[in-house]
Amino acid sequence: MSAALPIAAPGIQPSSGVLMPVTSLPSDFGIGDLGPAAYDFADALAENDQQVWQVLPVNPTDAGTGNCPYSAMSAFAGETSLISPELLVKDGYLSPKVLKKMPAFAQGTIDYDLVAKSRVRLFDRLLKETKGLKGDPRFEDFCQGNQVWLEDYARFAVFRRHFKNRAWQEWPKGLVRRDSSVIEKWSRKLSKEIARERMLQFVFSDQWARLREHCAGNRVRLFGDVPLYVQGNSADAWASRSLFHMSDEGWVYTVSGTPPDAFSKTGQRWGHPTYRWDQHEKDRFSWWLNRLGRNRELFDHVRLDHFQGLVRFWDVPGSDATAENGKWVDAPADRFLKSAFATFPDLSLIAEDLGNEMQSLAPIMERFGIPGMRVLQYGFGGGADNPHALENLSAKAVVYTGTHDNVPTRAWFGSIDRETRVSFDQHYDSRTTEQNVARRMVEMGLNSPAFMAIAPVQDVLNLGAEAAINHPSTVHGNWRWRMTPNQLDALLEHPWLRQATRDSGRSG
């Protein structure tokens, strides 16, 4: 059994692309969205002979977790701030006058609070003008086709807002325990707001489908990102708590994390509720299969973040403040993946296999034909067996200059120690500088054996530390960087990328 990408088969055309979060696109409305700039970015990729656009997770984020896309409030729903106001006007849902009443936003960064406030007013207007799309057959089909998650999410989002963003464990007891009569009573009381959430999920999905169609017309494939876990304060945990290590009242027994290592004596306590894999297996992995099916509607390729957790996971007592008292627990990766590929034979799954457990994941990835990740910034030093070193790369990998968790390559090069610099010079020469290192690293990835080469847009544009999108182990101040309109224009002025891609044989 193999994934949709037969990575070891002869004749498979190597490809390349750019990592660019949708939120980081330029726009006049405070955050990147699915409007004109997204179409322009897809066009710029095609102009540069790139075939892949990788994005970060697009599920609803939460200000309480610093708007981190890896700690979403739903594994199925879309982030509605990505809905394009301009397309709402173009589609006839709103008058152009509405856009003129939106606040002025700064370019180059995201003010999440201001974006959220502006979207409340915009979407309230949308509900009023469209009457919630009642009677629209496309909307009705969407609701019917997504009933497995849509109603629970719409109710969760509205109840949460009504109770002033308190965790669902602190709602009225009848809602916490999911008493059907209590849920129906509150649903009738808040029916207008729930209708609004259903409508917004339809609009998000409709705008996304049209963008994906445009990308396909440009021979650009969308590469999505699926976090392994969801947060405890999520629609999934509220609606399906039996699938998590949680009590009936929603209190978490065990949470996710990583064990102590050289970087942290107490390990890392991530805090997501861990899965009750016995329950998932008893239910024939239906929640996970529905989740994969939803992501296949959005993406051509799917990266599963923290793939390690499918094989075995670090289980931390929920009452502990650190992760040092956790223990390793096996997960049914083999049985789950058999079910996944039997259900979706063309599933293109890519594993985030970074970290100390990389070697232990190799057998199951090999068995299912799942490629992993290699990061060139990690490839200098560490001995001859460093899996990220250029000479150790194979076709069974997606190679990156860096990821969303790395600083841009230009900034990385300016901070490396002498040993790493000596190792780097062995691959190139001492003429490499902070000004040209990003381009050289992108070319290194393009010319590697990896079947897919991805560069963050920051490296394509030769940006520095100011363009970092995330600083791991910090909660606030991340996920705010945005490309400026001039930087988007500059993507069309990079003939070196197009030429380097053609020279590497990745143009198709």
Side-chain angles (χ1 to χ4, degrees), residues 71-129:
S71 190
M73 293 187 295
S74 170
F76 296 85
E79 171 54 64
T80 57
S81 67
L82 301 183
I83 291 173
S84 165
E86 291 161 292
L87 290 188
L88 293 178
V89 170
K90 182 180 179 181
D91 294 339
Y93 290 144
L94 292 174
S95 163
K97 296 179 182 179
V98 174
L99 302 186
K100 297 179 181 178
K101 296 180 180 179
M102 294 188 72
F105 295 92
Q107 294 288 349
T109 190
I110 301 171
D111 182 337
Y112 282 102
D113 290 339
L114 184 58
V115 168
K117 291 175 183 177
S118 72
R119 293 311 191 268
V120 168
R121 293 190 292 270
L122 180 72
F123 295 152
D124 284 346
R125 184 72 181 177
L126 179 64
L127 179 66
K128 181 178 180 180
E129 293 294 326

Side-chain angles (χ1 to χ4, degrees), residues 16 39 90 94 130 144 152 171 176 202 246 273 296 309 329 361 371 390 404 431-432 444 475-476 485 495:
S16 63
Y39 287 74
K90 182 180 179 181
L94 292 174
T130 63
Q144 181 65 28
D152 279 326
W171 295 351
V176 171
F202 165 74
M246 307 179 76
R296 285 177 73 254
V329 177
L361 303 179
L390 186 62
H404 64 275
R431 291 173 293 180
T432 300
M444 186 189 296
V475 176
H476 299 288

Side-chain angles (χ1 to χ4, degrees), residues 387-399:
H388 302 281
L390 186 62
E391 60 269 21
N392 293 330
L393 298 187
S394 74
K396 302 176 183 180
V398 181
V399 64

Side-chain angles (χ1 to χ4, degrees), residues 15-19 45 50-54 446 452-456 460:
S15 61
S16 63
V18 176
L19 170 60
L45 291 177
Q50 304 306 299
Q51 310 94 51
V52 180
W53 177 2
Q54 183 172 354
L446 289 172
M452 187 185 294
I454 301 290
V460 176

